[in-house]
Amino acid sequence: MVKLKYILPHESGFKRKQSGVLTKVDGQVAAFNNAGLCCDLEGCSCDGLWNIISRLPFVSDGLNWDRIDVNGIDALYIRKPWITKQFITWLKEIREVNSRIIIILEVPTYPYDKENITNWRRVPLLLKDAMHRNQLKLYVDRIADLSGANKIFEIQTLSIYNGIDLDELPVRTPAMHHSEMHILCIAVFAVWHGIDRVLNGLAAYHVANKGRKIVLHLVGEGPSSNSLRRQCKRLALGDSVVFHGKMSSDEFAPIYDECDIAIECLANFRKDITLSSSLKSREYLAKGMPFIYSGIIDVFRDEPVDFCLQVPSDESPIDMQQVIDFRDRLYGKESPEELTQRIRAYAERHISMDAAMKPVIDYLKEECNG
């Protein structure tokens, strides 16, 4: 049996019960074990002080790499930390002790420079990362990648995608409003969600006096929340946009039922990403919710769908009449319940964690048992 250790680098503030990342990691570990591998999860953390001083030049990242025991391990699966001298040194030492060990590095977001360069707290870490990442090719066998790239940092990739535990996301019970359209977006709102495009589209729709009432439900808070509130006020959209704030999954379940359609990321181009593997798209599919998006959704490349609407990947306002027409076509040819179940069935075929991690599982079995 292949013995695999999953390494999760994290800071002390990483709260297990609050982290969607950790939910994903738990699902990946379960997928490895379901496939017959023997996988254990191990965290690699640092204390609060190191979270601050590790940003200084020539200072260690503070992560306890030396405490990780790799004796008897066939392979390592590492979720990407900031690439530092200490991380590279640890990989080198592992190779010196066990030249046959397989090392896979998961890069959850690529490219990631533009996403981080605007956050001054991350810039020092990004500079360290840029300085050392070119050494990864000396020690890493494969990169598990969600972007669709063939190579990253001159290392061949294994193409994976974000999977989810469907049992944790019960399907919604839709309620129809034939005279209105209710739109949902759940997010930690940032500029790449592109909600400003939706607000501009709503304002243009109202100016044209098209008539159909549209209500946008925004669930969550984030860096862009205040600017979105100001934009709503400036565009006089008070009756058309509801800011629900942070809510638990139990609290926003009725909003899922209330809404006809959802919004995925509409401005990934603002961080130079064209292929999306977002957990939000998975959640919408699992819930049986049609949605609009821009760019490319990774799983749609294997089996195109008619229940999601692709809009232009640019700064233009979202054409709300196009969204209304799309919504009416969908709900005009089948009942809300039938549509919901059809989307859920698609999710069951494509976004389970076992299916998402299959390329990595197949690679490990071939390399470790060959």
Side-chain angles (χ1 to χ4, degrees):
M1 179 181 290
V2 176
K3 292 186 177 180
L4 171 66
K5 181 165 284 192
Y6 192 126
I7 308 299
L8 177 63
H10 59 85
E11 300 173 350
S12 60
F14 215 53
K15 302 298 184 183
R16 168 165 282 275
K17 291 183 179 180
Q18 299 174 1
S19 175
V21 170
L22 286 166
T23 299
K24 172 190 171 182
V25 169
D26 286 341
Q28 289 177 315
V29 171
F32 287 135
N33 287 312
N34 290 342
L37 309 180
C38 180
C39 181
D40 291 321
L41 174 65
E42 183 166 345
C44 182
S45 62
C46 62
D47 61 29
L49 180 60
W50 278 110
N51 292 339
I52 299 172
I53 66 175
S54 64
R55 288 164 167 76
L56 298 174
F58 312 112
V59 175
S60 168
D61 59 19
L63 293 169
N64 53 351
W65 299 111
D66 294 340
R67 299 181 188 177
I68 298 174
D69 184 6
V70 297
N71 289 326
I73 299 299
D74 299 304
L76 293 176
Y77 188 92
I78 308 167
R79 185 177 172 92
K80 180 189 172 295
W82 290 107
I83 309 303
T84 63
K85 179 180 179 181
Q86 292 70 40
F87 179 59
I88 295 295
T89 298
W90 177 68
L91 292 177
K92 180 181 179 181
E93 291 172 350
I94 288 174
R95 282 291 185 209
E96 291 173 349
V97 172
N98 184 357
S99 61
R100 295 177 59 86
I101 195 168
I102 300 298
I103 300 177
I104 299 175
L105 179 69
E106 179 184 315
V107 179
T109 301
Y110 184 81
Y112 54 83
D113 288 349
K114 191 170 183 179
E115 178 178 351
N116 290 290
I117 198 68
T118 56
N119 186 329
W120 65 269
R121 293 182 180 87
R122 295 181 178 179
V123 168
L125 297 170
L126 183 61
L127 292 174
K128 288 186 178 184
D129 188 290
M131 182 182 301
H132 297 288
R133 66 178 69 149
N134 65 329
Q135 299 178 64
L136 287 170
K137 62 179 179 287
L138 302 175
Y139 311 110
V140 174
D141 294 286
R142 291 290 187 274
I143 284 182
D145 165 57
L146 295 91
S147 74
N150 293 321
K151 286 189 175 183
I152 294 176
F153 311 138
E154 301 182 53
I155 303 167
Q156 189 172 337
T157 62
L158 298 169
S159 183
I160 64 171
Y161 54 85
N162 276 329
I164 60 173
D165 183 353
L166 292 169
D167 292 336
E168 294 295 317
L169 290 166
V171 72
R172 70 193 187 105
T173 303
M176 284 295 292
H177 303 272
H178 295 289
S179 61
E180 302 176 359
M181 181 170 71
H182 288 252
I183 306 175
L184 168 67
C185 185
I186 305 172
V188 179
F189 293 105
V191 293
W192 52 83
H193 290 105
I195 301 302
D196 56 306
R197 298 183 62 195
V198 181
L199 299 182
N200 288 332
L202 273 173
Y205 182 85
H206 287 167
V207 169
N209 196 25
K210 294 293 183 70
R212 178 81 67 93
K213 183 178 180 180
I214 302 173
V215 181
L216 174 63
H217 298 264
L218 300 180
V219 177
E221 293 288 342
S224 294
S225 294
N226 287 335
S227 64
L228 293 175
R229 288 184 172 93
R230 290 192 296 269
Q231 185 181 2
C232 281
K233 186 175 181 179
R234 185 174 67 253
L235 297 175
L237 294 175
D239 294 335
S240 299
V241 182
V242 181
F243 288 89
H244 293 274
K246 289 184 179 180
M247 304 178 76
S248 69
S249 57
D250 289 338
E251 289 173 327
F252 63 64
I255 304 176
Y256 257 116
D257 297 342
E258 184 81 4
C259 291
D260 311 305
I261 195 167
I263 297 172
E264 213 258 344
C265 290
L266 301 180
N268 272 330
F269 59 87
R270 293 174 179 167
K271 54 178 180 176
D272 292 336
I273 291 177
T274 57
L275 182 68
S276 174
S277 186
S278 75
L279 290 174
K280 188 52 56 188
S281 66
R282 276 65 174 152
E283 181 177 318
Y284 290 150
L285 291 170
K287 296 292 287 185
M289 173 71 83
F291 60 86
I292 65 174
Y293 68 99
S294 69
I296 302 170
I297 302 290
D298 54 357
V299 295
F300 293 170
R301 296 178 300 174
D302 298 329
E303 185 181 339
V305 301
D306 66 343
F307 48 72
C308 291
L309 175 66
Q310 185 182 37
V311 298
S313 191
D314 56 33
E315 298 289 355
S316 62
I318 299 302
D319 184 343
M320 299 312 298
Q321 187 59 55
Q322 180 188 23
V323 177
I324 288 174
D325 293 343
F326 168 71
R327 176 262 194 196
D328 289 349
R329 284 196 304 272
L330 275 182
Y331 290 103
K333 64 183 180 182
E334 58 191 316
S335 71
E337 293 76 18
E338 288 170 338
L339 176 62
T340 297
Q341 290 300 326
R342 183 161 68 90
I343 298 173
R344 174 69 178 209
Y346 183 95
E348 291 169 352
R349 293 195 302 273
H350 291 282
I351 62 171
S352 71
M353 190 63 79
D354 291 347
M357 299 306 294
K358 189 175 186 300
V360 173
I361 292 166
D362 290 346
Y363 174 79
L364 287 172
K365 287 183 174 180
E366 180 178 352
E367 293 297 314
C368 294
N369 295 326

